[in-house]
Structures are given as structure tokens and as C-alpha cells.
Amino acid sequence: MSVTNAPISYDFHGDEPFSTPFREIRPEDIHIYLDLDTKVGKNTCGQKCTHCWFVNYEKVYDKSFAMEEGPLILAGLQSHGYHVYPRYVDSFAYDGAFMRVYGPANNREFRQESDHKPTETMEKGDAWTSGRPLLADNYEELLDLAVENGYGTISITYHGLIGEDLTVTDHRDYPIKGVFSGAETEEVLRRIDAYNDKHRAGGSDAVAFRVNIGVTIGRHNHGREALERYAHYFNKLGVDTVRFNNFTDHGGRHPELRLSREEVEQQYRDFKWLHDTVPLDFQLGVSEDFGTFGIKAMGFPGHVGWCRAGRQLFAAIPAEEAVLSEDDGARREKIGDIVGCVNTFEPHLGILVRTVREGEPSAYDVEFDHEAIEAFTAKRLSGAYKDGCFATELSEEMGLVSRVPQRRRLPLLVTSEA
């Protein structure tokens, strides 16, 4: 049986060939994630997930740029032509302070079809949240603030296993600790639905939020049976997008959850099967972090899966400030590091620089390490890193996580009888 569903969305960070020398890539074709605040906990996401990249890497743990300087850095980098994405742990952190400062930000690019058409998620600001802030008593005020600042999508990370009866199982069975539960996400969705209904009743369709759900796939929930349950479950909840990403073992805490190469290849076939077989009331999205093994099954443009991190995608992270030079009344100061993989914060490929002149506004720019970038590209072209998403191979090489035997294992899918 074949069904008609919306096109599958994918991540987009450029499609410049790897053979192009980095110096020839225009700033307008480079995307930079600006990590303004990496502090987790009560005032931000309300969680401390054991697999969170902001928790497991010392160089970004509990770091931030000064709130008043962040917009200056953003504007400075944008003035050079870069696409810059302000990134923080939760869009509703500090009672929506970032929304007030940065307006309708998007945290990444989602595209569809062969012509890279932006998805509806990209049409207005995309508020990224654990969901926890929207369980607070002031959730309506936070949603009002999102509307006032031009947000149209709320993206929620979902952590839950679905039983045979299409209800979320006991959260104690979920193998990743510190995460926002699936049952709590359902309550947040009820609140967003009620908020949308209230404004529609008042004749204002324009403020209705789209909901984008992100689901992490590992050995605890992979395979067709699990995917089909998620599909029927989210159809029932009435969300607009469900985007699946691959579990990455940040910190080496859950090696048993990592998919093998063979399991990733099968997962791609399962995504394609789901899209072609099961009626979906939402747009299916697949993250580029599943890499390239088996990706041809998806029918994506050829560049998808070959992450442009370290060439067209970088992260700017806070670093200890240091004076680099003082000359002709100008003082160059390092205030951040430029890294390739935006989730493992390696390798180091440049610095973020502030230039100060008396009586003038500070200027901000990126100083790339061109030799390091070309050397990193050469490793990818030589096959030192075989996967298009090189994060796991890089982490293993640097000793950030241990190597795991790539063997097949049965799904750890929880059923209602378990």
C-alpha cells in the first residue's frame, strides 16, 4: 500500500562540494551556531539529561556570553554575511529573556525536496524547549511572549516509549535519565492546544502555534514496530512535525544505546517504509546525524547526510578572554572558540575575536584556522572518517567515548505486557 504524505524534511547546512577550497566559500554560504548560554537546570530547561552535549563537554559546560554582548556578537557576525543561529539551552529560559532580546530566532535549517525548499517550521521563529518551562504557572505569559516576538513553531524534545495500546509507558522504563517525560510532554501539548483554541475562538488564527516534536532513536526504540507506534501516537496528539535524530553517546554514559552501522542502514529503510506506508498527519523529518550509511533509501539530494560541519557549519562557543594584540589604538581580544561539530565541539578550527577601539563600538569577527580546516577536510576525503556524520568517529579518536562493538541486537522496545 502506498500513501501520500508530506515530503520528508532534512537538515540543510550548505551543499558546497568538499573539493572547493575553504577560502573560496563565501561567508553567505557559512552557518554559525552562536552558543550564547549553555547553562542547564532550573532557570533554563529545568532538566539535566545524562546524554546532553551541554552537560558532557567541559569546554561548554555552564558557559555563557554576557547577555548584553550577545546581540552585538550576533550583529557583528551577520554584518560579514554569515548565517548566524542564536542557540541557548531553552528558548523560554529565564522567563523568556532570550525571546525578548533575539526575537523570532531559528535554531537550524530544515529543508525538503530536491530544490531545498524551506519547511513550514522555518517560516517563523522556532522556539526550542524541553517542555518543562511550559509546565510552570506562567505558561500563558510565556506563550504570549512568543507570539509577541514572532514565533510560530514550538519544538519539544520527546522522551518516551509507546506501548501496544499507544499510550506512553512508565517513565521509569526509559533508559536515559534526567529527561522530560513523555507524559509531561502530553500535558504541555494540551496547554498549547488550549492556548491555540482560545485565540482561534477570539478570531485570531495568526497566533496558533505549530508543534515540532523531536524523538531520539537508539537501541531502546528503533525498528518498524516502534516507528509505527510513534506515528499513530503522534497522529492522535495532533502535532505538525516529528523529527527523528540518532542517539549520540555524549559523555560515554550509554554505549548500549548506540545503533550499529547495520542498524542505521535498516533505520533508514524503516523511515522510508513508514513514509510510504503509514498515513501521517504530520511532516516526517530525519536528522542528518544518522549519517550516510544507508541514506540512499531516503531519496534525499546527494549532499544530505554528508554534514558540512567544519566547512559550512561551525559553532562559536564562549572561551576565556585573552588579549591577542594591541596596535594602532586597536586591541584584539579572543572571546570564543570556533569548532566544527556543533554537538561535540571539536575540532578547534578558529577563534571568535572582539576588536576594541576607544570611542568606537566593538567589532566582532571570526578568524578561521584555514590550515586546520583543510587538514580536517582532507581526513574526511581520505576516508579517515567514513561516515557523513563524523561525530562518533571523532569522539572515539579523541577518547571522548569508547568504541563499541558494532553488533546486531534485538530492539529494547517496551510492550504493554512488559
Side-chain angles (χ1 to χ4, degrees), residues 4 9 39 42 49 64 96 141 164 167 175 183 198 289 292 297 328-329 341 380 383 385 407 417:
T4 302
S9 71
K39 298 178 180 180
K42 181 177 66 174
C49 308
S64 65
E141 289 86 346
E164 291 179 345
T167 62
K198 175 181 175 181
D289 62 12
T292 45
D328 295 330
C341 179
R380 298 189 70 186
Y385 301 131
R407 61 191 183 281
E417 287 86 16

Side-chain angles (χ1 to χ4, degrees), residues 59-295:
K59 65 168 54 181
V60 291
Y61 180 67
D62 202 34
K63 299 286 197 310
S64 65
F65 290 108
M67 184 66 82
E68 65 274 10
E69 187 168 32
L72 303 178
I73 300 171
L74 173 64
L77 296 183
Q78 288 175 330
S79 72
H80 297 292
Y82 300 113
H83 295 273
V84 187
Y85 305 87
R87 191 164 70 157
Y88 14 87
V89 170
D90 199 293
S91 297
F92 295 102
Y94 311 114
D95 288 328
F98 289 118
M99 287 185 173
R100 294 184 175 91
V101 173
Y102 295 100
N106 284 297
N107 59 73
R108 61 189 61 180
E109 288 271 0
F110 301 120
R111 302 290 182 92
Q112 64 186 46
E113 301 176 285
S114 59
D115 59 354
H116 305 157
K117 178 183 176 182
T119 67
E120 288 186 39
T121 303
M122 302 304 301
E123 290 180 2
K124 299 180 74 175
D126 178 16
W128 187 5
T129 181
S130 69
R132 176 68 65 188
L134 295 178
L135 281 189
D137 292 340
N138 68 336
Y139 77 94
E140 286 198 65
E141 289 86 346
L142 290 175
L143 293 175
D144 285 340
L145 183 64
V147 171
E148 292 164 10
N149 286 280
Y151 286 83
T153 298
I154 297 177
S155 293
I156 305 172
T157 303
Y158 184 89
H159 290 286
L161 301 173
I162 309 304
E164 291 179 345
D165 60 354
L166 299 184
T167 62
V168 62
T169 63
D170 192 321
H171 190 55
R172 289 172 294 185
D173 294 327
Y174 196 75
I176 306 172
K177 304 308 177 186
V179 299
F180 193 64
S181 76
E184 290 174 307
T185 302
E186 290 183 9
E187 173 58 25
V188 170
L189 294 178
R190 283 190 286 269
R191 292 186 175 199
I192 295 172
D193 284 343
Y195 183 90
N196 286 343
D197 288 343
K198 175 181 175 181
H199 286 275
R200 288 192 189 100
S204 180
D205 288 338
V207 301
F209 289 107
R210 301 178 76 260
V211 173
N212 174 29
I213 294 291
V215 180
T216 297
I217 294 292
R219 281 180 170 155
H220 58 300
N221 62 350
H222 71 125
R224 292 190 180 186
E225 184 178 2
L227 281 182
E228 188 169 14
R229 290 186 192 178
Y230 279 126
H232 294 307
Y233 174 76
F234 287 117
N235 277 345
K236 181 176 64 173
L237 292 181
V239 302
D240 298 278
T241 305
V242 179
R243 175 180 178 269
F244 293 96
N245 69 280
N246 188 21
F247 174 80
T248 300
D249 188 25
H250 300 295
R253 297 169 183 257
H254 300 285
E256 74 282 357
L257 298 185
R258 282 169 48 182
L259 297 179
S260 69
R261 171 174 175 169
E262 293 79 13
E263 287 165 340
V264 169
E265 291 174 345
Q266 182 59 48
Q267 193 64 40
Y268 273 129
R269 292 192 288 270
D270 293 343
F271 285 136
K272 183 63 174 171
W273 168 85
L274 181 75
H275 182 261
D276 292 348
T277 306
V278 180
L280 305 176
D281 297 334
F282 51 82
Q283 182 172 28
L284 172 65
V286 177
S287 170
E288 198 168 44
D289 62 12
F290 282 96
T292 45
F293 298 135
I295 197 171

Side-chain angles (χ1 to χ4, degrees), residues 18 288-293 303-309 380 385-391 393:
F18 281 85
E288 198 168 44
D289 62 12
F290 282 96
T292 45
F293 298 135
H303 62 84
V304 179
W306 291 99
C307 182
R308 261 47 183 182
R380 298 189 70 186
Y385 301 131
K386 296 179 174 60
D387 196 359
C389 177
F390 57 83
E393 293 166 305

